[in-house]
Amino acid sequence: MLIDDNIIDLKINSKLIELTGMFSEIIACKSGQEALHYFSSLANQADKLPTLILLDIQMPEMDGFEFLEHYKKFPSAFKEKCAIAMLSSTLDFGDIQRAEANPHVIKLMKKPLQLAELKKLAGDRS
């Protein structure tokens, strides 16, 4: 799953992920709210949950860290299946500290996504 308010980033990252062949489906959400709505529609369908969420930090209305506040309330079975990597076009020290301190974030990645880094992240998850 990709969560990013930037349509161009969504398209580029979706294509990059598609080219890797690592995932059978790519779910693109234009906001944290859209992603939360998607998750609430899957309340009893754990098999349809994404295994990896690439979450943009800087989004209007609900940024990546605000999304994580909602995410931490999800059932533990849900959180065990869905790993989160945060994405940022600027890696400032505050974002790095907040991401590293969050137990649900497995990595903070710089935009644009790099194919090798994405493959390594997916490989680490399997």
Side-chain angles (χ1 to χ4, degrees), residues 1-4 27 29-40 49-50 52-74 78-79 82-87 98 102 104-105:
M1 172 179 271
L2 291 166
I3 305 172
D4 197 323
I27 303 154
C29 297
K30 295 179 218 100
S31 69
Q33 283 294 80
E34 184 179 336
L36 291 173
H37 180 28
Y38 176 84
F39 291 133
S40 67
L49 293 172
L52 179 63
I53 300 168
L54 298 176
L55 174 64
D56 186 27
I57 290 178
Q58 297 174 342
M59 296 182 287
E61 297 174 32
M62 177 186 292
D63 69 22
F65 293 110
E66 290 169 317
F67 174 85
L68 288 171
E69 286 301 308
H70 292 275
Y71 179 85
K72 75 180 184 183
K73 298 173 189 169
F74 292 172
F78 180 100
K79 292 182 284 194
C82 301
I84 296 179
M86 296 190 87
L87 303 174
R98 286 179 75 188
N102 191 297
H104 305 296
V105 176

Coordinates of all heavy atoms in Angstrom, one line a residue, residues 1-4 27 29-40 49-50 52-74 78-79 82-87 98 102 104-105:
M1 N 0.8 -1.2 0.0 CA 0.0 0.0 0.0 C 0.9 1.2 0.0 O 1.9 1.3 0.7 CB -0.9 0.0 1.2 CG -1.7 1.3 1.4 SD -2.8 1.4 2.8 CE -4.2 0.7 2.0
L2 N 0.5 2.2 -0.8 CA 1.2 3.5 -0.9 C 0.2 4.5 -0.3 O -1.0 4.5 -0.7 CB 1.5 3.9 -2.3 CG 2.6 3.1 -3.0 CD1 2.6 3.4 -4.5 CD2 3.9 3.5 -2.4
I3 N 0.6 5.4 0.6 CA -0.2 6.5 1.1 C 0.6 7.7 0.9 O 1.6 8.0 1.5 CB -0.5 6.3 2.6 CG1 -1.2 4.9 2.9 CG2 -1.4 7.5 3.1 CD1 -1.3 4.6 4.4
D4 N 0.1 8.5 -0.1 CA 0.9 9.8 -0.5 C -0.1 10.7 -1.2 O -0.9 10.3 -2.0 CB 2.0 9.4 -1.4 CG 3.0 10.5 -1.6 OD1 2.7 11.7 -1.6 OD2 4.2 10.1 -1.7
I27 N -2.0 -1.0 -3.6 CA -3.2 -0.2 -3.2 C -2.7 1.2 -3.0 O -1.7 1.4 -2.2 CB -3.8 -0.7 -1.9 CG1 -4.2 -2.2 -2.0 CG2 -5.0 0.1 -1.5 CD1 -4.2 -3.0 -0.7
C29 N -3.4 5.1 -2.0 CA -4.3 6.0 -1.3 C -3.8 7.4 -1.3 O -2.6 7.6 -1.0 CB -4.5 5.5 0.2 SG -5.3 3.9 0.3
K30 N -4.6 8.4 -1.6 CA -4.2 9.8 -1.7 C -4.1 10.5 -0.4 O -3.8 11.7 -0.4 CB -5.1 10.5 -2.7 CG -4.9 10.0 -4.1 CD -5.9 10.7 -5.0 CE -6.5 9.8 -6.0 NZ -7.8 9.4 -5.8
S31 N -4.5 9.8 0.7 CA -4.5 10.5 2.0 C -4.5 9.4 3.1 O -4.9 8.3 2.9 CB -5.7 11.4 2.2 OG -6.9 10.6 2.3
G32 N -4.2 9.8 4.3 CA -4.3 9.0 5.5 C -5.7 8.6 5.7 O -6.0 7.4 6.1
Q33 N -6.6 9.5 5.5 CA -8.0 9.3 5.7 C -8.5 8.2 4.8 O -9.3 7.3 5.2 CB -8.9 10.5 5.6 CG -8.8 11.5 6.7 CD -9.4 10.9 8.0 OE1 -8.8 10.1 8.7 NE2 -10.7 11.3 8.3
E34 N -8.1 8.3 3.5 CA -8.5 7.3 2.5 C -8.0 5.9 2.9 O -8.7 4.9 2.9 CB -8.0 7.6 1.2 CG -8.5 6.7 0.1 CD -8.0 7.1 -1.3 OE1 -7.6 8.3 -1.6 OE2 -7.9 6.2 -2.2
A35 N -6.8 5.8 3.4 CA -6.2 4.5 3.9 C -7.0 4.0 5.1 O -7.3 2.8 5.2 CB -4.7 4.7 4.2
L36 N -7.3 4.9 6.1 CA -8.1 4.4 7.2 C -9.4 3.9 6.8 O -9.9 2.9 7.4 CB -8.2 5.6 8.2 CG -6.9 6.0 8.9 CD1 -7.2 7.3 9.8 CD2 -6.3 4.9 9.8
H37 N -10.1 4.6 5.9 CA -11.3 4.1 5.4 C -11.2 2.7 4.7 O -12.0 1.8 5.0 CB -11.9 5.1 4.4 CG -13.3 4.7 3.8 ND1 -14.2 3.9 4.5 CD2 -13.8 5.0 2.6 CE1 -15.2 3.7 3.7 NE2 -15.1 4.3 2.6
Y38 N -10.1 2.5 4.0 CA -9.9 1.2 3.3 C -9.7 0.1 4.4 O -10.3 -0.9 4.3 CB -8.6 1.3 2.5 CG -8.2 0.0 1.9 CD1 -8.8 -0.5 0.7 CD2 -7.3 -0.8 2.5 CE1 -8.4 -1.7 0.2 CE2 -6.9 -2.1 2.0 CZ -7.5 -2.5 0.8 OH -7.1 -3.7 0.3
F39 N -8.9 0.4 5.5 CA -8.7 -0.5 6.5 C -10.0 -0.8 7.3 O -10.2 -2.0 7.6 CB -7.7 0.0 7.5 CG -6.3 0.0 6.9 CD1 -5.5 1.1 7.1 CD2 -5.8 -1.0 6.2 CE1 -4.2 1.2 6.5 CE2 -4.5 -1.0 5.6 CZ -3.7 0.1 5.8
S40 N -10.8 0.2 7.5 CA -12.1 -0.1 8.3 C -13.0 -1.0 7.4 O -13.8 -1.7 8.0 CB -12.7 1.2 8.7 OG -13.2 1.9 7.6
L49 N -5.3 -7.6 3.8 CA -4.5 -6.5 4.3 C -3.2 -6.5 3.6 O -2.6 -7.5 3.2 CB -4.2 -6.7 5.8 CG -5.4 -6.6 6.8 CD1 -5.0 -6.9 8.2 CD2 -6.0 -5.1 6.7
P50 N -2.6 -5.3 3.4 CA -1.3 -5.2 2.8 C -0.2 -5.7 3.7 O -0.4 -5.6 5.0 CB -1.1 -3.7 2.5 CG -2.0 -3.0 3.5 CD -3.2 -4.0 3.7
L52 N 3.0 -4.5 3.4 CA 3.9 -3.4 3.6 C 3.1 -2.1 3.2 O 2.4 -2.0 2.2 CB 5.1 -3.5 2.6 CG 6.1 -2.4 2.6 CD1 6.8 -2.3 4.0 CD2 7.2 -2.7 1.6
I53 N 3.3 -1.1 4.1 CA 2.7 0.2 3.8 C 3.8 1.2 3.7 O 4.7 1.3 4.5 CB 1.8 0.7 5.0 CG1 0.6 -0.3 5.2 CG2 1.3 2.1 4.8 CD1 -0.1 -0.2 6.5
L54 N 3.8 1.9 2.5 CA 4.8 3.0 2.3 C 4.0 4.3 2.6 O 3.1 4.7 1.8 CB 5.4 3.0 0.9 CG 6.1 1.7 0.6 CD1 6.6 1.7 -0.9 CD2 7.3 1.5 1.5
L55 N 4.4 5.0 3.7 CA 3.6 6.1 4.2 C 4.4 7.4 4.1 O 5.5 7.5 4.7 CB 3.3 5.8 5.7 CG 2.6 6.9 6.5 CD1 1.3 7.2 6.0 CD2 2.6 6.5 8.0
D56 N 3.9 8.4 3.3 CA 4.5 9.7 3.2 C 4.4 10.4 4.5 O 3.3 10.3 5.2 CB 3.8 10.5 2.1 CG 4.4 11.8 1.8 OD1 5.7 11.9 2.0 OD2 3.7 12.7 1.3
I57 N 5.4 11.1 4.9 CA 5.3 11.9 6.1 C 4.5 13.2 6.0 O 3.6 13.5 6.7 CB 6.8 12.2 6.7 CG1 7.4 11.0 7.1 CG2 6.7 13.3 7.8 CD1 8.9 11.2 7.6
Q58 N 4.8 13.9 4.9 CA 4.3 15.3 4.8 C 3.0 15.2 3.9 O 3.2 15.2 2.6 CB 5.3 16.2 4.2 CG 6.4 16.4 5.2 CD 7.6 17.3 4.6 OE1 7.6 17.5 3.4 NE2 8.4 17.8 5.5
M59 N 1.9 15.3 4.5 CA 0.6 15.3 3.8 C -0.3 16.3 4.5 O -0.2 16.5 5.7 CB -0.1 13.9 3.7 CG 0.7 12.9 3.0 SD -0.2 11.3 3.0 CE -0.1 10.7 4.7
P60 N -1.2 17.0 3.7 CA -2.1 17.9 4.3 C -3.2 17.2 5.1 O -3.4 16.0 4.9 CB -2.7 18.7 3.1 CG -2.6 17.8 2.0 CD -1.3 17.0 2.3
E61 N -3.9 17.8 6.0 CA -5.0 17.3 6.8 C -4.5 16.2 7.8 O -4.8 16.3 8.9 CB -6.1 16.7 5.9 CG -6.7 17.8 5.1 CD -7.8 17.3 4.1 OE1 -8.4 16.3 4.4 OE2 -7.9 17.9 3.0
M62 N -3.9 15.1 7.3 CA -3.4 14.1 8.2 C -2.0 13.7 7.7 O -1.8 13.1 6.7 CB -4.3 12.9 8.2 CG -3.8 11.8 9.1 SD -4.8 10.2 9.0 CE -6.3 10.8 9.8
D63 N -0.9 14.1 8.5 CA 0.4 13.7 8.1 C 0.7 12.2 8.5 O -0.1 11.6 9.1 CB 1.5 14.6 8.6 CG 1.7 14.6 10.1 OD1 1.4 13.6 10.7 OD2 2.2 15.6 10.6
G64 N 1.8 11.7 8.1 CA 2.2 10.3 8.4 C 2.2 10.0 9.8 O 1.7 8.9 10.3
F65 N 2.7 10.9 10.7 CA 2.7 10.6 12.1 C 1.3 10.6 12.7 O 1.0 9.8 13.6 CB 3.6 11.6 12.8 CG 5.0 11.5 12.4 CD1 5.7 12.4 11.6 CD2 5.8 10.4 12.8 CE1 7.0 12.3 11.3 CE2 7.1 10.2 12.4 CZ 7.7 11.2 11.7
E66 N 0.4 11.5 12.2 CA -1.0 11.4 12.7 C -1.6 10.1 12.2 O -2.4 9.5 13.0 CB -1.8 12.6 12.1 CG -1.3 13.9 12.7 CD -1.9 15.1 12.0 OE1 -1.9 15.2 10.7 OE2 -2.3 16.1 12.7
F67 N -1.3 9.6 11.0 CA -1.8 8.3 10.6 C -1.4 7.2 11.6 O -2.2 6.4 11.9 CB -1.4 8.0 9.2 CG -1.7 6.6 8.7 CD1 -3.0 6.4 8.2 CD2 -0.8 5.6 8.9 CE1 -3.3 5.1 7.8 CE2 -1.2 4.3 8.5 CZ -2.4 4.0 7.9
L68 N -0.1 7.3 12.0 CA 0.4 6.3 12.9 C -0.4 6.3 14.3 O -0.5 5.3 14.9 CB 1.9 6.5 13.2 CG 2.8 6.2 12.0 CD1 4.2 6.6 12.3 CD2 2.7 4.7 11.7
E69 N -0.9 7.5 14.7 CA -1.6 7.5 15.9 C -2.9 6.7 15.8 O -3.3 6.1 16.7 CB -2.0 9.0 16.3 CG -0.8 9.8 16.8 CD -0.2 9.1 18.1 OE1 -0.9 8.9 19.0 OE2 1.0 8.9 18.1
H70 N -3.5 6.7 14.6 CA -4.7 5.9 14.4 C -4.3 4.4 14.2 O -5.0 3.5 14.7 CB -5.5 6.4 13.1 CG -6.1 7.7 13.3 ND1 -7.3 7.9 13.8 CD2 -5.6 8.9 12.9 CE1 -7.6 9.2 13.8 NE2 -6.6 9.8 13.3
Y71 N -3.2 4.2 13.5 CA -2.8 2.8 13.3 C -2.5 2.1 14.6 O -2.8 0.9 14.7 CB -1.5 2.9 12.4 CG -0.9 1.6 12.1 CD1 -1.3 0.9 11.0 CD2 0.2 1.1 12.8 CE1 -0.8 -0.4 10.7 CE2 0.8 -0.1 12.5 CZ 0.3 -0.8 11.4 OH 0.9 -2.0 11.1
K72 N -1.9 2.8 15.6 CA -1.5 2.1 16.8 C -2.8 1.5 17.5 O -2.6 0.6 18.4 CB -0.7 3.0 17.7 CG -1.4 4.0 18.4 CD -0.5 4.8 19.3 CE -1.2 5.9 20.1 NZ -0.3 6.7 20.9
K73 N -3.9 2.0 17.2 CA -5.2 1.5 17.8 C -5.7 0.3 17.1 O -6.7 -0.3 17.6 CB -6.2 2.6 17.8 CG -5.8 3.8 18.6 CD -6.8 5.0 18.5 CE -6.2 6.3 19.1 NZ -7.0 7.4 18.7
F74 N -5.2 -0.1 16.0 CA -5.6 -1.3 15.3 C -5.3 -2.5 16.1 O -4.4 -2.6 16.9 CB -5.0 -1.4 13.9 CG -5.4 -0.3 12.9 CD1 -4.7 -0.3 11.7 CD2 -6.4 0.6 13.2 CE1 -5.0 0.7 10.8 CE2 -6.7 1.6 12.2 CZ -6.0 1.6 11.0
F78 N -3.6 -7.3 13.1 CA -3.5 -6.4 12.0 C -2.1 -5.8 11.9 O -1.4 -5.9 10.8 CB -4.5 -5.3 12.1 CG -4.5 -4.2 11.0 CD1 -5.5 -4.3 10.0 CD2 -3.6 -3.2 11.0 CE1 -5.5 -3.4 9.0 CE2 -3.7 -2.3 10.0 CZ -4.6 -2.4 9.0
K79 N -1.6 -5.3 13.0 CA -0.3 -4.6 13.0 C 0.8 -5.6 12.7 O 1.9 -5.3 12.2 CB -0.1 -3.9 14.3 CG -1.0 -2.7 14.4 CD -0.8 -1.9 15.7 CE -1.4 -2.6 16.8 NZ -1.5 -1.9 18.1
C82 N 1.0 -5.9 8.8 CA 1.3 -4.7 8.0 C 2.5 -4.0 8.6 O 2.4 -3.3 9.6 CB 0.1 -3.8 8.0 SG -1.4 -4.5 7.4
A83 N 3.6 -4.1 7.9 CA 4.8 -3.3 8.3 C 4.7 -1.9 7.7 O 4.1 -1.7 6.6 CB 6.0 -4.0 7.9
I84 N 5.3 -0.9 8.3 CA 5.2 0.5 7.8 C 6.7 1.0 7.6 O 7.5 0.9 8.5 CB 4.5 1.4 8.7 CG1 3.0 1.0 8.8 CG2 4.6 2.9 8.2 CD1 2.2 1.9 9.7
A85 N 6.9 1.5 6.4 CA 8.1 2.3 6.1 C 7.6 3.7 5.7 O 6.7 3.9 5.0 CB 8.9 1.7 4.9
M86 N 8.2 4.7 6.3 CA 7.8 6.1 6.1 C 8.7 6.6 5.0 O 9.9 6.2 4.8 CB 8.0 6.9 7.4 CG 7.0 6.4 8.4 SD 6.9 7.6 9.8 CE 5.7 8.7 9.2
L87 N 8.1 7.5 4.2 CA 8.8 8.1 3.1 C 8.8 9.6 3.3 O 7.9 10.2 3.7 CB 8.0 7.9 1.8 CG 7.8 6.4 1.4 CD1 6.9 6.4 0.1 CD2 9.1 5.7 1.1
R98 N 11.6 10.8 15.3 CA 10.2 10.4 15.5 C 9.9 9.0 14.8 O 9.3 8.2 15.4 CB 9.2 11.4 14.9 CG 9.1 12.7 15.8 CD 8.1 13.6 15.2 NE 6.7 13.2 15.4 CZ 5.7 13.8 14.9 NH1 5.9 14.9 14.1 NH2 4.5 13.4 15.1
N102 N 9.2 5.3 16.8 CA 7.8 4.7 16.6 C 8.0 3.1 16.4 O 8.7 2.7 15.5 CB 7.1 5.3 15.5 CG 5.6 4.8 15.4 OD1 5.3 3.7 15.3 ND2 4.7 5.8 15.6
H104 N 6.1 1.0 15.3 CA 5.4 0.5 14.1 C 6.2 0.7 12.8 O 5.8 0.2 11.7 CB 4.0 1.0 14.0 CG 3.2 0.7 15.2 ND1 2.9 -0.5 15.6 CD2 2.7 1.6 16.1 CE1 2.2 -0.5 16.8 NE2 2.1 0.8 17.1
V105 N 7.2 1.6 12.9 CA 7.9 2.0 11.7 C 9.2 1.1 11.6 O 10.0 1.1 12.5 CB 8.3 3.5 11.7 CG1 9.2 3.9 10.5 CG2 7.0 4.3 11.7

